[in-house]
């Protein structure tokens, strides 16, 4: 008979990886180009990242107390249900689960689209390829929480290595001259409306999003909620350091005008410094991040629907847990939608 309790099978360091691995995504590869549409002054640019990091750190410190008091896995759902009651928890929990499933499906498609940029022969197979990738990571979960957790931790560590490597490459590169038109572009576009500046701030905060992700695994981590809370704070500090280092290297080495509207800004920055083709490394990094996020989306989404179902707000079939700690009922429901 399937167990009904999740296993405490994840080490304390997993809480840090849960934060770092979830926060670092395609956003940090793309957002600099979105900001450069509006702000091209390096000082203002860096101030946005510092203020965004400070806002997220303060938010984490506030929520950490609630995370430490909550010994259930389930992410924001269990936090909201504990703080405000079952109805707000119900609304947020189902919204979060649907959003996680949608994000996983979208990331699988985007992954195939990036792969087709490198191998054009894959273009006719984007949708079937996305389905295969999603199914493979669903089967990975059946290997148990320890296996999927280790994959999560290795991926988070490699995310950090990628950002450090790109930062080093930016600092060591030698740039090219900008075209005269681009060189004369004002560093702050005064004609831009306030709405655009609001979008810039939102883009920075969104790039830091995912800082409560350790709370998805509170009952499975050694130390419970307290370990998840401490891991959230430490993970946010690591991400802030990596983001400030990367963006500082970017603003120091590359005129932000050169990134204006670039879809993968870091690819554009490397090509500016090292010439055509250097941006391929960023596409490869994006592929790796998107692959790793398939595992992350399945882990977090299954904990959400599991917690909802245990509390009577979902299906009883989603409460089953295998002897390896995988919420198999929740996994089946999530896989069916994702």
């Amino acid at each position: 008979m399937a167990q009904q309790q999740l296993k405490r099978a994840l080490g304390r360091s997993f809480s840090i990886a849960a934060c770092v691995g979830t926060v670092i995504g395609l956003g940090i590869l793309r957002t600099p180009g979105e900001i450069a549409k509006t702000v091209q002054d390096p000082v203002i640019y860096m101030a946005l990242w510092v203020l965004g990091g400070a806002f997220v750190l303060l938010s984490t410190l506030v929520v950490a107390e609630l995370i430490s008091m909550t010994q259930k896995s389930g992410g924001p759902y269990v936090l909201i249900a504990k703080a405000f009651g079952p109805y707000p928890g119900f609304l947020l929990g189902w919204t979060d689960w649907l959003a996680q499933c949608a994000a996983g499906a979208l990331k699988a498609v985007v992954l195939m689209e990036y792969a087709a940029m490198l191998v054009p022969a894959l273009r006719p197979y984007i949708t079937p390829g996305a389905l295969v990738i999603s199914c493979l990571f669903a089967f990975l979960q059946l290997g148990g929480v320890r296996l999927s957790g280790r994959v999560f931790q290795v991926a988070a560590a490699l995310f950090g290595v990628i950002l450090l490597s790109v930062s080093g490459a930016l600092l060591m590169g030698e740039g090219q001259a900008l075209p005269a038109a681009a060189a004369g572009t004002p560093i702050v576009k005064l004609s831009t409306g306030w709405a655009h500046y609001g979008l810039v701030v939102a883009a920075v905060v969104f790039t830091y999003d995912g800082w409560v992700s350790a709370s998805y695994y509170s009952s499975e981590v050694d130390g419970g909620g307290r370990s998840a809370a401490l891991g959230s704070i430490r993970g946010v500090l690591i991400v802030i350091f990596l983001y400030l280092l990367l963006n500082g290297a970017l603003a120091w080495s590359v005129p932000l005008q050169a990134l204006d509207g670039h879809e993968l800004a870091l690819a554009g920055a490397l090509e500016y410094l090292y010439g055509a083709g250097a941006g391929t490394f960023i596409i490869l990094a994006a592929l790796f991040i998107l692959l790793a996020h398939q595992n992350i989306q399945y882990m977090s989404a299954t904990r959400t629907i599991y917690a909802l179902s245990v509390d009577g707000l979902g299906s009883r079939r989603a409460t089953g847990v295998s002897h390896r700690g995988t919420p198999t009922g929740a996994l089946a429901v999530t896989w069916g939608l994702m």
Side-chain angles (χ1 to χ4, degrees):
M1 172 155 321
Q3 301 173 11
Q4 302 302 309
Q5 296 290 329
L6 296 173
K7 296 181 66 175
R8 183 156 290 183
L10 300 171
R12 292 176 184 268
S13 61
F14 178 84
S15 296
I16 301 174
C19 178
V20 174
T22 305
V23 173
I24 296 176
L26 283 192
I28 191 58
L29 307 182
R30 300 169 60 102
T31 301
E34 297 175 10
I35 298 174
K37 294 179 182 179
T38 303
V39 175
Q40 295 170 357
D41 182 343
V43 175
I44 298 175
Y45 176 84
M46 286 305 300
L48 289 168
W49 287 101
V50 171
L51 291 174
F55 171 79
V56 169
L57 179 58
L58 289 173
S59 300
T60 305
L61 291 172
V62 171
V63 179
E65 183 174 0
L66 182 58
I67 295 175
S68 68
M69 296 165 55
T70 308
Q71 303 303 316
K72 292 173 58 178
S73 294
Y77 158 67
V78 296
L79 302 180
I80 294 298
K82 186 176 184 66
F84 300 108
Y87 182 65
F90 168 82
L91 293 177
L92 185 134
W94 275 96
T95 301
D96 184 39
W97 179 67
L98 292 171
Q100 293 276 359
C101 293
L106 176 61
K107 288 176 181 179
V109 173
V110 174
L111 189 159
M112 287 300 301
E113 289 178 345
Y114 280 130
M117 292 172 63
L118 299 177
V119 185
L122 293 175
R123 191 161 296 282
Y125 307 103
I126 287 177
T127 300
L131 290 172
V132 169
I133 290 168
S134 182
C135 291
L136 287 175
F137 279 92
F139 283 113
L140 172 66
Q141 308 305 307
L142 296 177
V145 65
R146 285 192 175 90
L147 174 61
S148 54
R150 288 193 190 103
V151 171
F152 200 146
Q153 289 181 273
V154 170
L158 290 177
F159 288 177
V161 171
I162 289 170
L163 296 193
L164 289 172
S165 300
V166 174
S167 299
L170 290 171
L171 290 172
M172 291 187 296
E174 295 183 3
Q176 309 164 19
L178 280 176
T185 304
I187 58 178
V188 179
K189 299 183 178 181
L190 298 177
S191 60
T192 304
W194 284 107
H196 289 83
Y197 293 102
L199 291 174
V200 164
V201 173
V204 171
V205 174
F206 180 76
T207 308
Y208 280 108
D209 190 34
W211 44 273
V212 296
S213 297
S215 65
Y216 283 103
Y217 316 98
S218 292
S219 68
E220 299 164 86
V221 176
D222 288 343
R226 184 175 184 277
S227 179
L230 291 173
S232 297
I233 296 170
R234 291 166 181 161
V236 164
L237 289 172
I238 290 172
V239 170
I240 291 173
F241 167 77
L242 291 172
Y243 278 10
L244 293 183
L245 176 64
L246 177 64
N247 283 289
L250 183 66
W252 175 269
S253 306
V254 179
L256 294 177
Q257 297 97 313
L259 307 180
D260 187 347
H262 204 294
E263 183 178 355
L264 276 178
L266 293 185
L270 290 182
E271 289 181 353
Y272 171 84
L273 293 171
Y274 295 99
T280 302
F281 176 78
I282 299 300
I283 298 176
L284 292 172
L287 288 173
F288 175 73
I289 290 171
L290 288 166
L291 272 173
H293 271 245
Q294 288 295 301
N295 180 51
I296 292 169
Q297 300 290 166
Y298 268 112
M299 289 191 72
S300 56
T302 53
R303 270 65 184 177
T304 301
I305 192 64
Y306 169 83
L308 282 162
S309 299
V310 166
D311 290 345
L313 302 175
S315 170
R316 288 181 59 85
R317 295 181 179 179
T319 62
V321 179
S322 73
H323 68 281
R324 294 180 176 177
T326 300
T328 49
L331 174 62
V333 175
T334 300
W335 175 63
L337 184 60
M338 195 180 292

